[in-house]
Amino acid sequence: MALRYRCLRFIGPSYFQRHILCHRTLSRFQHSLRHRTCYSSNSSRSMHHATPMEGRLQEQLDRRRREGTLRSLMPLPSPRELVNDEQHRIDNTEQPSSSSSPITIDFASNDYLGLARCRNQHALVQSAYDRLFSLNDDIRPSNTPPSVPQPPLLGASGSRLLSGDSHLARSLEAKLAKIHNRPAALLFNSGYDANISILSSLPYRDDDAIVMDELVHNSLIMGVRMGRLNKDRVFLFKHNDVIDLKRVLEEVASSSSTQSSTLVVVESVYSMDGDIAPLKEILDLAQGMGAGVMVDEAHGLGIYGHTNIQDLESNMDDDSVPHAGSGNTTDRRHDEGKIKGGTGVLAALNLESHPALTCSIHTFGKAAGCHGAVVAGSSTLISYLVNYARPFVYSTALPPHSLISIQQSYESMVGPMGEKRRKVVFQWVRLFREEISNGITAMKEEFPGLDFELLPSPSPIQAIVVPGNERCISVCQYLRTVGKFDVYPIRSPTVAKGKERIRVILHSHNNEDEIHSLTKMMLISLRQLMTFPDRLKLTSKL
């Protein structure tokens, strides 16, 4: 099944002749704008002199508002609330006290290991940053004359190909390539940048093909849209379905030459469902059919690694699952004795050197608690991206402080701190799934038509399907206002209609009482939806 994309329309002279130079059309449009009431935050008529484009923007927003799909930024707590909350939550050296009463309890962020809010982590970063810039030899060559100005302390000052390169960036890339068991690595300003850089810049031929899991992230889809590959050569396969992938690859092969190239694009952990891709089966199949595989490890980094392969399975008590240290999971670590785990699903499954693996992308805005991303792959691929990846070529590089933050995040993620926090995370995953699953099973006996579902997921990303945008929103509003839980509805069209869900993300900085309270109130809200199906405003009591 070919992936259908809308093509960008070239705006040529005929466009302006039809829509700009046509006096009658323009006059009617301006007349309609003068009579439209548009309100800003202070209820003033902010569009009195609106341009035609402003009118179109407002029409699109109005359409989303009518459909119930309009996005907006959530209200923020007051500065006083933030200070009180920080005193309770930000220091993650120990588990939070059950007596603490934060303003909102985090079940929404991607800060799985709590590094983004950890004072100890902040101190490690700041100490390393201060130490680096107190030693000039660490940031510029030893033969640099004293008259040469100090390298920039704050911004990078330019792209990597101009003034923004540094020994710090080069050494970090070398270290990350070694950690991810690949020949080379290249830093990007975000995971989004990294994904669109790869997929938009590859030198496609007419009979090349891209085969994508139907649930891949928007950044991967946009990378393909921006590339030169004909849209008829982009294919989807059913989510995590290796049999369907084989069918699609065979279809692609039947219409390709011997010189064509096929790239399979997947994620290791899917952010909307929390499930894990069958990477070994995908890579083995791709190898057998002459295809390469690109793996986005955004939600795998920091969470999985060769020390907790058992946590890749949703049945945590399955004795058939190989545990850390069994087989050859540690043999490949040669001189990386300090690395304990947390480097991703590919590492957990010993697939980093698989012949079919074209590249992996590791994003730092989730478990790493900072910002940026790295592409790990062959030296040829990295050299190509330096030349042709437009977000890399034309963007100001990551500043020194970001580079230090990434460096220190890896030290924490793969060391004893990361090991300890991963164990806590998966303890909460087991607890949450047990309580929600038991509750929904009990409700099904009482309500035979129950349409709620806890999606299968072994990861910290848990999703309870609550079909319908309004129902999904009402449950979240109840949990936020009554329980002070920071949770969000995932609505259509972000997910398929009928698959709207409450997404819950579990962290090392959550505690047992918070999990018990969340599951209890979640089940209360779901029961209210079934007991009073016409009442969307939920209350604290049945």
Side-chain angles (χ1 to χ4, degrees):
M1 176 178 63
L3 181 63
R4 306 299 183 189
Y5 287 145
R6 293 183 179 177
C7 296
L8 293 173
R9 177 187 296 175
F10 173 76
I11 302 179
S14 60
Y15 178 91
F16 290 99
Q17 289 169 2
R18 291 196 306 270
H19 297 282
I20 302 299
L21 300 180
C22 179
H23 177 75
R24 182 176 300 174
T25 302
L26 180 60
S27 298
R28 288 177 178 174
F29 191 77
Q30 291 174 331
H31 177 78
S32 66
L33 284 178
R34 282 195 295 269
H35 290 81
R36 181 185 290 129
T37 303
C38 297
Y39 297 94
S40 65
S41 58
N42 60 4
S43 298
S44 65
R45 297 190 57 181
S46 60
M47 291 182 61
H48 181 69
H49 298 292
T51 64
M53 180 55 71
E54 282 285 326
R56 289 181 224 161
L57 299 180
Q58 189 61 50
E59 287 173 0
Q60 294 294 313
L61 292 172
D62 291 342
R63 178 180 60 80
R64 282 208 161 184
R65 186 176 290 107
R66 290 192 301 271
E67 295 172 352
T69 59
L70 183 68
R71 298 184 178 101
S72 61
L73 298 176
M74 297 293 289
L76 293 173
S78 67
R80 181 182 297 274
E81 290 173 330
L82 286 174
V83 170
N84 293 337
D85 186 53
E86 179 185 26
Q87 293 172 353
H88 288 296
R89 313 298 297 175
I90 199 168
D91 189 349
N92 289 297
T93 57
E94 298 179 0
Q95 284 303 299
S97 168
S98 59
S99 62
S100 64
S101 179
I103 301 304
T104 56
I105 302 171
D106 178 22
F107 285 109
S109 79
N110 293 320
D111 188 21
Y112 302 114
L113 303 181
L115 295 182
R117 66 196 66 214
C118 179
R119 282 185 172 175
N120 282 354
Q121 184 67 17
H122 177 268
L124 289 172
V125 171
Q126 198 58 42
S127 174
Y129 183 74
D130 292 341
R131 186 169 61 252
L132 178 72
F133 283 97
S134 67
L135 301 171
N136 287 343
D137 289 346
D138 285 351
I139 53 177
R140 57 180 174 178
S142 58
N143 60 352
T144 303
S147 59
V148 175
Q150 169 98 354
L153 299 177
L154 300 177
S157 80
S159 73
R160 290 282 300 279
L161 292 173
L162 298 175
S163 60
D165 202 7
S166 66
H167 291 285
L168 179 58
R170 300 279 189 96
S171 65
L172 179 58
E173 286 170 339
K175 182 180 295 185
L176 294 178
K178 186 177 182 181
I179 287 174
H180 293 296
N181 217 20
R182 301 295 284 169
L186 187 66
L187 289 165
F188 284 84
N189 287 6
S190 69
Y192 206 104
D193 271 4
N195 284 340
I196 63 174
S197 291
I198 297 166
L199 292 171
S200 68
S201 67
L202 293 178
Y204 302 111
R205 292 163 46 106
D206 289 343
D207 57 351
D208 287 346
I210 286 181
V211 179
M212 310 174 76
D213 187 292
E214 63 182 350
L215 296 187
V216 294
H217 191 262
N218 174 269
S219 58
L220 297 164
I221 296 172
M222 291 306 297
V224 174
R225 286 189 182 183
M226 294 168 62
R228 299 178 178 88
L229 187 64
N230 191 306
K231 64 180 180 179
D232 293 331
R233 300 298 294 170
V234 181
F235 302 83
L236 295 179
F237 67 95
K238 294 178 183 177
H239 177 55
N240 277 351
D241 190 331
V242 179
I243 294 176
D244 193 54
L245 173 59
K246 185 175 186 294
R247 177 192 64 80
V248 174
L249 287 175
E250 289 173 344
E251 178 185 339
V252 170
S254 66
S255 59
S256 303
S257 69
T258 57
Q259 298 300 313
S260 66
S261 175
T262 299
L263 181 66
V264 179
V265 180
V266 297
E267 300 176 35
S268 62
V269 181
Y270 285 86
S271 61
M272 290 296 114
D273 291 37
D275 53 349
I276 313 295
L279 291 180
K280 185 178 188 310
E281 291 82 355
I282 290 173
L283 285 160
D284 287 348
L285 175 62
Q287 182 184 7
M289 302 196 69
V293 180
M294 170 181 172
V295 180
D296 183 349
E297 284 259 40
H299 294 274
L301 179 66
I303 301 304
Y304 292 107
H306 74 97
T307 60
N308 67 328
I309 185 174
Q310 72 276 6
D311 292 328
L312 288 168
E313 299 292 330
S314 52
N315 182 0
M316 301 299 177
D317 296 323
D318 188 351
D319 292 333
S320 66
V321 178
H323 287 258
S326 65
N328 63 350
T329 54
T330 57
D331 294 342
R332 70 186 189 277
R333 287 293 164 179
H334 45 88
D335 61 341
E336 297 177 9
K338 293 183 179 180
I339 296 180
K340 304 298 183 183
T343 55
V345 179
L346 288 166
L349 298 174
N350 196 14
L351 297 172
E352 294 166 302
S353 299
H354 195 288
L357 181 63
T358 300
C359 64
S360 57
I361 299 91
H362 306 266
T363 302
F364 310 138
K366 278 71 176 178
C370 46
H371 196 69
V374 67
V375 175
S378 69
S379 298
T380 301
L381 173 66
I382 298 308
S383 180
Y384 181 86
L385 293 176
V386 168
N387 281 273
Y388 291 99
R390 285 162 289 191
F392 176 86
V393 173
Y394 297 108
S395 293
T396 298
L398 289 168
H401 195 276
S402 291
L403 300 178
I404 293 293
S405 297
I406 295 164
Q407 176 181 290
Q408 294 305 123
S409 288
Y410 268 80
E411 294 289 334
S412 298
M413 283 192 302
V414 306
M417 178 195 293
E419 288 296 295
K420 178 181 177 181
R421 295 189 182 196
R422 272 187 290 279
K423 290 178 180 178
V424 173
V425 168
F426 285 102
Q427 179 183 347
W428 300 153
V429 170
R430 291 188 286 271
L431 177 62
F432 178 86
R433 289 194 63 82
E434 179 183 2
E435 295 190 352
I436 291 294
S437 181
N438 290 342
I440 290 180
T441 299
M443 273 195 286
K444 284 182 177 178
E445 297 179 1
E446 185 178 353
F447 303 101
L450 190 80
D451 54 358
F452 308 134
E453 176 189 6
L454 175 62
L455 295 180
S457 164
S459 77
I461 303 169
Q462 298 293 316
I464 298 92
V465 173
V466 181
N469 280 345
E470 291 184 341
R471 298 169 83 205
C472 201
I473 292 170
S474 69
V475 171
C476 276
Q477 287 177 336
Y478 171 79
L479 294 173
R480 291 180 67 87
T481 56
V482 179
K484 302 300 182 184
F485 299 118
D486 193 19
V487 295
Y488 294 88
I490 308 298
R491 302 173 289 172
S492 59
T494 301
V495 293
K497 191 173 180 62
K499 291 295 183 178
E500 297 84 1
R501 76 234 6 219
I502 313 297
R503 186 172 65 165
V504 173
I505 299 182
L506 303 166
H507 317 86
S508 64
H509 53 271
N510 295 129
N511 63 45
E512 187 171 357
D513 286 348
E514 292 170 354
I515 306 295
H516 287 315
S517 182
L518 173 65
T519 57
K520 178 182 177 180
M521 297 190 71
M522 176 82 73
L523 293 170
I524 288 174
S525 64
L526 297 179
R527 180 176 293 277
Q528 286 194 56
L529 284 179
M530 296 304 296
T531 306
F532 309 104
D534 297 328
R535 188 175 75 189
L536 290 176
K537 185 172 178 58
L538 305 181
T539 62
S540 58
K541 297 180 181 179
L542 273 174

